Amino acid sequence: MKYNRCGRSGLLLPEISLGLWHNFGSVDNFENAESIAVEAFDKGITHFDLANNYGPVPGSAEENFGKILWHNFQGNLRDEIVISTKAGYTMWNGPYGDWGSRKYLLSSLDQSLKRMSIDYVDIFYSHRPDPETPIEETMMALDHAVRSGKALYVGISNYSAEQTRVAVEVLKQLGTPCLIHQAKYSMLERWVENGLLDVLEEKGVGCIAFSPLAQGLLTDKYLKGIPENSRAHNPNGHLKEDEVTQERIQKLIQLNEIAQNRNQSLAQMALAWLQKDKRITSVLIGASSVKQLCNNIDCLQNTEFSNDELNAIEEILT
């Protein structure tokens, strides 16, 4: 595992980080989740990413991760891992459990620390911009989280390029630099290339890509349509059936041919493709099993692309 500097900061993050969005909630098998987290650490993944509402039920991923910490990462091992969490999406009922107010963010951080039974997180994010709350208030809450000792660094997620520019400037004036932006980025979701990555490079802010496999689309699972046990087949899933079009399946088939010629799975190639841009500090993966985790980490065995490969991929995607 290689560790990349996060923007212009002192923090290094692994090329691959583990996200706990799925498979770590109260409805999931705890022993499986624990095995995934321990194997990830043993493979060199030092960064574990959460949010207040991860589950289901909301909050249960943090509770389970707290148990995993207690069972496996006592003592100085806490100093060898980076834990991040976020607030910004709906967490509890009423007017104070959503969006970006100072009250919500700081209350949520207190609850997250309690659920995980830790004194601080390494990174605390504003999970999404709030169209009603002044961005200065949201950034002041992040600044306070650091000054109170409850977070070492702060970041933002799902902010546009222009919103990011403003947020970074406000945090700089407050004296708490913006460490990182967590953005949705994959072969099939490339909005960050239209200005955001340029802003992050200019301002010295790191970038971590989430949903790098487009909710499983960039795997061999959908090459023959929508299987019964897939996220697209689940009516409660984030990937919808109408996103798995015949046109998209044809693109996946062509991409898979390139991956096979590289001796990689489609998923491994999709993860490696993100690594080609040096502005990407880390790629955030999920895993439902230790086997899947290890298969994804193996993408690091081949992260170099020839110009012919890059051109062929671009032709397929455009």
Side-chain angles (χ1 to χ4, degrees), residues 14-60:
E15 292 175 286
I16 298 288
S17 299
L18 182 64
L20 280 65
W21 184 14
H22 301 291
N23 306 309
F24 283 80
S26 57
V27 301
D28 300 300
N29 182 283
F30 175 79
E31 288 74 20
N32 182 59
E34 185 173 39
S35 296
I36 293 169
V38 171
E39 180 70 17
F41 182 74
D42 289 344
K43 293 287 188 182
I45 292 178
T46 54
H47 178 211
F48 298 89
D49 180 75
L50 298 114
N52 57 355
N53 61 341
Y54 286 179
V57 295
S60 60

Side-chain angles (χ1 to χ4, degrees), residues 2-7 9-15 17 46-47 80-82 123 153 179 281-282:
K2 191 174 86 175
Y3 300 87
N4 297 321
R5 188 161 302 281
C6 191
S9 78
L11 188 67
L12 300 174
L13 292 180
E15 292 175 286
S17 299
T46 54
H47 178 211
E80 296 185 26
I81 61 176
V82 170
I123 306 170
Y153 302 92
L179 174 80
T281 311
S282 185

